[in-house]
Amino acid sequence: MSSPSSPSSSAAEVVALLTVRGETVAVAESLTGGLVAAEITSVPGASKVFRGSVTAYATELKHQLLGVDATLLAERGAVDPQVAAEMAAGVRKALGADWGIATTGVAGPDPQDGQPVGTVFVAVDGRPTTEPGAAPGRKTVALRLNGGRAEIRMESVRSVLALLLERIAGEQTGNERAQDTERNGGF
């Protein structure tokens, strides 16, 4: 069995939660090159929740396919927190999903856009909510990862899936969270 923090177990949890909620996810990837989509679609039943993905490896595709601001890309490059946020929002809109998630960063071996190897940004964009006290569906996280190219890419996958789980859980009511905790042997 996978450890609780492995990408596969996180992907299974994402699929299970989204299935229960009747919601969908779309993925925008750069440095991970399709690995996030592969993790999600490796889970049986993923077709109920996975809308699709855009692997926008080339910088100009982030603008052309995902609607990332061209000036932002020209001024800051592709490895930037706002770029990650716009990628997540863009793929959510383009593919008609409830949630959009994105990865952008430098896996190595060389620095990119003035950013050192291991600089990664992951983002989640969810539907705006009007419920009082509900957590916002948007969040971007900056990561400074160590290791080789493969390790940096896999940790990026794990991190973006964990961020999505955190955002989904943040939208649950306190009562639902308490029930989840009891079911999982908490308290």
Side-chain angles (χ1 to χ4, degrees), residues 26-39 41 50-68 78 87-88 90-92 94-95 101-105 149 153 157:
V27 180
E29 300 186 66
S30 187
L31 85 149
T32 49
L35 292 173
V36 177
E39 282 294 332
T41 59
F50 184 71
R51 293 284 298 159
S53 65
V54 174
T55 301
Y57 213 63
T59 299
E60 70 272 12
L61 293 180
K62 291 170 180 66
H63 169 67
Q64 294 168 2
L65 299 176
L66 300 170
V68 176
M87 286 173 66
V91 80
R92 182 178 71 77
L95 302 186
I101 60 177
T103 62
T104 188
R149 184 173 168 81
R153 294 174 78 213
V157 172

Side-chain angles (χ1 to χ4, degrees), residues 11 15 19 25 37 39-51:
V15 170
T19 300
V25 65
E39 282 294 332
I40 294 171
T41 59
S42 72
V43 178
S47 60
K48 293 184 186 87
V49 301
F50 184 71
R51 293 284 298 159

Side-chain angles (χ1 to χ4, degrees), residues 45-136:
S47 60
K48 293 184 186 87
V49 301
F50 184 71
R51 293 284 298 159
S53 65
V54 174
T55 301
Y57 213 63
T59 299
E60 70 272 12
L61 293 180
K62 291 170 180 66
H63 169 67
Q64 294 168 2
L65 299 176
L66 300 170
V68 176
D69 183 74
T71 306
L72 173 69
L73 288 166
E75 290 176 358
R76 297 196 209 159
V79 184
D80 181 82
Q82 185 63 34
V83 170
E86 289 188 19
M87 286 173 66
V91 80
R92 182 178 71 77
K93 183 178 176 189
L95 302 186
D98 297 302
W99 296 91
I101 60 177
T103 62
T104 188
V106 187
D110 302 312
Q112 178 189 335
D113 296 334
Q115 299 282 1
V117 171
T119 302
V120 175
F121 298 97
V122 296
V124 170
D125 186 89
R127 290 181 305 193
T129 180
T130 54
E131 294 176 32

Side-chain angles (χ1 to χ4, degrees), residues 118-122 141-145 155-156 158-160:
T119 302
V120 175
F121 298 97
V122 296
V141 173
L143 305 170
R144 183 69 183 94
L145 304 176
E155 183 59 24
S156 299
R158 191 202 64 74
S159 296
V160 78

